[in-house]
Amino acid sequence: MVIGRELCLEFGPRAATGLSFPRDCRLYLDIDDEAIRRARAALLEILDCACFVVDTAEGRITS
């Protein structure tokens, strides 16, 4: 999910182990507003059939 400038990723146990990531990974996106808009649009396209929460200027979008 993306809320504000924070990107939160939740991995299953096998995926987390395979990627050497924690199951709950939070990243701060230090980019300008235009880049945030492009990142949100790309995430919505990528996550078409997945469970997600994305905050946009128009409001919160959830699956």
Side-chain angles (χ1 to χ4, degrees):
M1 76 179 139
V2 176
I3 298 177
R5 286 184 162 17
E6 187 173 78
L7 171 63
C8 303
L9 304 170
E10 296 177 19
F11 298 101
R14 203 165 63 184
T17 300
L19 296 168
S20 298
F21 287 163
R23 289 208 47 208
D24 182 20
C25 184
R26 295 172 185 263
L27 304 170
Y28 180 78
L29 303 174
D30 188 16
I31 54 180
D32 64 29
D33 289 341
E34 180 57 31
I36 286 287
R37 282 190 284 276
R38 289 192 315 267
R40 287 181 177 141
L43 282 170
L44 288 173
E45 186 174 329
I46 292 167
L47 299 173
D48 184 38
C49 296
C51 178
F52 62 85
V53 176
V54 178
D55 275 348
T56 69
E58 294 76 29
R60 183 167 285 182
I61 299 172
T62 61
S63 64

